[in-house]
Amino acid sequence: MDQAEQLRNVIKKKSREASAGCARVLTITSGKGGVGKSNVAVNMAVWLRRMERKVIIIDADLGLANVEVMFGAVPQYNLSDLIYRGKSIREIITKGPMDIGFISGGLGIAGLNNLSKDQIVYLVHSLAELNEMADVIIIDTGAGISDSVLEFVLASPEILLVSTPEPSSLTDAYSLLKALYRNPIFSRDKTKINVIANKVTSIEEGDAVFSKLNSVVSQFLKGTIDFMGMIPQDQEMEHAVRSQKIVSIEKPSAEVSKAFQILTNNFINHKHETITMHKGIAQIIINFLARKGI
């Protein structure tokens, strides 16, 4: 069994143990950049904290560090420090606002494909400790269908795919789903895929995002996806992004913040409720471990 497969099994095991009080693992991804994936991650984390859930975000969007920018915190250590410098899992967790923890992948994560057997074992045991520290672990991946993204997505039992109404975003979201469904390792029966329509100007536009994706997935991939909700285009979000703030903290009563609240409720309660919008309102862990026997 290679390293990537071991890590996938560990992450899936975490989710299966959720009923026993272990962390629930959610991987947030997208077919292209700029669709608001990291904003979904941090705003959901805020509402999870308001629901008294302990949250840890693993920032796996290599090189961009979107989460730490929005949190306004510079991590002292990252995953490479855990592996190569003997730091513990607790030492590499940085505290953000509202006591949300996050782990930076760091630029050194790209070298993790050279891990030895002992390092893999240490990594697996360290990641397992997160179960005792969090109720929900959110993995914020990079965008696209590179190996580094697909390894995280394949590892997760719960996937949240973010798309906007733009044709290019829909096309790239479908490309990611196609790469996922056609991967021989992908388990249809043990993986739940939810879709978020982001930056929509009406309920109808949000519904259309899901309907288009659902149609092609059903027809060409013979697969099933679910709709978790939609986030409206909102000036408050744009202001928060420009100010490197989190809108659900800065403007909790804003329409976009309430949409994130509903989205988080849908996630926790395994159901779908929609936001109220006025029509026309303008919203695992390790990357590509080399496949080698250990």
Side-chain angles (χ1 to χ4, degrees), residues 38 41-42 45 49 54-61 64-79 88-106 130 133-134 136-140 246:
S38 294
V42 297
R49 286 296 299 132
K54 294 177 290 183
V55 187
I56 293 175
I57 300 176
I58 298 177
D59 190 352
D61 196 348
L64 294 182
N66 288 333
V67 173
E68 62 191 70
V69 169
M70 283 185 275
F71 279 171
V74 179
Q76 186 175 2
Y77 303 113
N78 56 47
L79 271 176
S88 70
I89 192 73
R90 292 183 183 275
E91 287 179 299
I92 69 168
I93 297 175
T94 302
K95 289 298 183 183
M98 298 180 65
D99 207 32
I100 299 170
F102 75 95
I103 296 174
S104 171
L130 294 177
M133 305 178 204
V136 179
I137 298 169
I138 297 175
I139 302 175
D140 180 21
I246 302 172

Side-chain angles (χ1 to χ4, degrees), residues 6 40-41 52 121 130 168 176 182 196 230 269:
Q6 284 196 44
V40 170
E52 299 185 350
V121 170
L130 294 177
S168 60
L176 187 150
R182 293 183 177 177
I196 287 180
M230 61 186 76
N269 298 314

